[in-house]
Amino acid sequence: MSSTVNTGHTDLRAFWRDLPREGKWLLSTTAIQLLGRGLTLPFTIIYLHEIKGVSLDLAGTLMAWIAVIGVVATGPGGWATDRFGARVVSVFGSACNMAGLFVLAFAHTVPFFFLAMSLIGISGITWPAFNSLIAAIVSGPARQTYFGISFALVNLGIGVGGLISGAFIDVHRPSTFTTIYVLDALAMLIPIGLLLGPLRHVRTQVEPTQQAAGARTSYLSIVRTPAMKWLLLLTFLGSFVGYGQIEAGFSAYSREIGEVSTRVIGWAFAVNTVVIVVAQMLVLRRIAGHRRTRVLLVMAVVWACAWTLLGSSGLLPASAYAVFAVIAFHFVFGFGETLLQPTIPAITNDLAPDHLRGRFNAISSGAFQAGAVAGPVAAGFLLRHHWNLQYIVVLLVGCAAMAWSALALERRISLQVNGIVPPIKDPGVVGDGAVHSV
């Protein structure tokens, strides 16, 4: 396994200096990798409906199918990560994503669209695998810094990609859509090249310690540990209240209730990207040395303020205030994201024994994907029935539940896992003890 860094520095130059070569390769290419994703992310529904003639209902089903396949794939993906290594699983997932995007670029029939979405869904196993890879390279408090900086770079790549494709594509020229999906597919050559080249020596699979060797290592035994139960609930709620609403509930509420233009919604997403890119390093400096669960508590309050702002846009629809409220929502929401993204992955990987890291990240990914599926469904049901106030109330209750879950999690994890002091190399424990036999 490559060398690791165990530093609490949040100064960017110090962090970069202490980062192992493999970590520098990964981090320096993150924005470029996600540039391709940014080219296509805002326009898939438009591509399917207006270019390929797929009905909106079916297009929505195809988009949801990606998340469904992603949930199903996380279990085998986590096991494979622990058994064969994160590098092998990441190469396989990236290749599936490339194949799916190529199929989507040239498909004309529904079966081929489902094939494309299935392949893209399978590629979701790269998320837990990459988190395991990062945890093998970077240890201690520096993990929190790495996850935060990586998240900012992801948003930078997606944001720039969206700006480029927005200026390039034209619904009257279908070939422009084909081009961006081909470019997104070719962008997968970057992670594949890294994993087969500079990162080929990174090893994530390890033998369990003598104490852990006799314990059950099933997913059920991991989920049953007290700390993991609360962490998964927190992850699910974060996805349900947050990311599961952004492409569905936020846009629908802004258009139907706030009555703002699509251009305003575009500005709001741009503000979100700018906030994350600009604020992430500042946030990392401020949260260093603080309990991660308290950071998540603050994040829940911040998101509650964001949803209250969006809800208020319905008080004066189609007004200057509605425009302000919609844009301000993404400003505040983006700040909350900078608190969430460095903390939950760091807690997950500090909880996980090295030999189970793939499964821990897979379970976390599954909880996130489940929230991403449930969020749009709940939003569609509530807003379709014109339960606008109830929609905002549900999200505020979700934020309160996140705060409660964070405090419950705090009582079940060690100070080391909570980011107070540097963790020992491999505690092999989950919350109050080892992965329990069942």
Side-chain angles (χ1 to χ4, degrees):
M1 185 181 295
S2 63
S3 59
T4 59
V5 58
N6 189 4
T7 174
H9 291 304
T10 51
D11 177 75
L12 184 58
R13 283 180 293 183
F15 171 79
W16 183 259
R17 183 188 66 240
D18 296 334
L19 195 63
R21 181 176 63 89
E22 294 84 358
K24 291 175 180 176
W25 271 110
L26 271 178
L27 204 56
S28 62
T29 58
T30 296
I32 302 174
Q33 291 180 43
L34 271 296
L35 189 68
R37 179 68 175 132
L39 292 173
T40 60
L41 180 64
F43 303 110
T44 300
I45 284 287
I46 296 173
Y47 173 65
L48 291 172
H49 179 57
E50 296 190 31
I51 304 301
K52 296 298 183 178
V54 176
S55 69
L56 279 175
D57 285 348
L58 181 55
T61 301
L62 287 166
M63 296 294 290
W65 184 247
I66 296 175
V68 171
I69 294 297
V71 171
V72 173
T74 52
W79 172 84
T81 297
D82 290 332
R83 179 67 178 83
F84 303 109
R87 200 173 60 87
V88 173
V89 173
S90 296
V91 169
F92 174 76
S94 298
C96 285
N97 196 29
M98 178 187 290
L101 289 166
F102 271 124
V103 172
L104 186 58
F106 299 102
H108 295 285
T109 62
V110 171
F112 277 102
F113 290 138
F114 269 104
L115 173 61
M117 298 309 188
S118 298
L119 289 167
I120 294 171
I122 292 172
S123 73
I125 62 175
T126 56
W127 180 21
F130 256 98
N131 280 354
S132 299
L133 191 72
I134 292 166
I137 297 170
V138 185
S139 66
R143 279 181 186 160
Q144 180 169 289
T145 304
Y146 188 102
F147 283 122
I149 295 173
S150 178
F151 176 64
L153 292 174
V154 165
N155 278 271
L156 177 63
I158 290 176
V160 172
L163 289 174
I164 293 172
S165 60
F168 170 71
I169 62 170
D170 183 350
V171 293
H172 301 295
R173 292 188 296 145
S175 62
T176 59
F177 284 85
T178 301
T179 299
I180 63 172
Y181 282 98
V182 169
L183 291 174
D184 192 5
L186 293 176
M188 289 298 99
L189 292 174
I190 297 173
I192 292 174
L194 282 177
L195 293 163
L196 297 180
L199 304 183
R200 65 186 181 278
H201 300 301
V202 178
R203 178 180 172 85
T204 58
Q205 64 272 41
V206 299
E207 295 298 323
T209 62
Q210 185 175 1
Q211 178 185 4
R216 291 282 299 277
T217 57
S218 67
Y219 280 111
L220 182 60
S221 65
I222 296 172
V223 171
R224 282 182 172 178
T225 56
M228 205 60 187
K229 287 179 183 177
W230 288 103
L231 181 58
L232 292 177
L233 176 60
L234 189 56
T235 303
F236 172 84
L237 289 170
S239 180
F240 178 88
V241 171
Y243 298 99
Q245 302 300 329
I246 293 305
E247 292 186 28
F250 162 75
S251 297
Y253 193 96
S254 299
R255 286 287 293 148
E256 301 298 325
I257 314 304
E259 298 182 17
V260 301
S261 68
T262 54
R263 179 173 296 181
V264 169
I265 294 174
W267 290 342
F269 275 101
V271 166
N272 177 272
T273 298
V274 171
V275 167
I276 291 169
V277 172
V278 172
Q280 186 67 82
M281 277 306 301
L282 299 175
V283 168
L284 286 170
R285 293 191 183 100
R286 295 301 301 269
I287 68 176
H290 292 278
R291 295 174 190 262
R292 291 164 177 163
T293 48
R294 300 296 172 89
V295 174
L296 291 168
L297 179 63
V298 173
M299 186 274 304
V301 174
V302 169
W303 274 7
C305 293
W307 287 114
T308 301
L309 267 171
L310 183 67
S312 70
S313 68
L315 299 176
L316 295 170
S319 66
Y321 176 78
V323 171
F324 163 79
V326 168
I327 294 176
F329 162 84
H330 257 303
F331 182 94
V332 178
F333 185 86
F335 174 69
E337 289 181 84
T338 66
L339 298 171
L340 175 71
Q341 290 297 335
T343 48
I344 284 186
I347 293 174
T348 302
N349 282 281
D350 284 349
L351 272 175
D354 285 342
H355 68 289
L356 296 178
R357 197 172 304 284
R359 271 165 272 201
F360 271 69
N361 280 294
I363 293 171
S364 178
S365 175
F368 186 91
Q369 295 276 17
V373 172
V377 172
F381 176 80
L382 292 169
L383 296 177
R384 186 170 63 250
H385 288 84
H386 305 291
W387 294 341
N388 308 326
L389 176 61
Q390 292 88 333
Y391 171 68
I392 298 297
V393 169
V394 166
L395 297 178
L396 293 178
V397 170
C399 291
M402 288 181 67
W404 173 59
S405 301
L407 292 176
L409 176 63
E410 182 175 299
R411 296 192 295 270
R412 291 165 174 84
I413 57 176
S414 66
L415 291 175
Q416 292 93 336
V417 171
N418 214 359
I420 299 300
V421 294
I424 59 177
K425 185 175 182 181
D426 182 10
V429 298
V430 183
D432 60 341
V435 176
H436 305 302
S437 300
V438 292

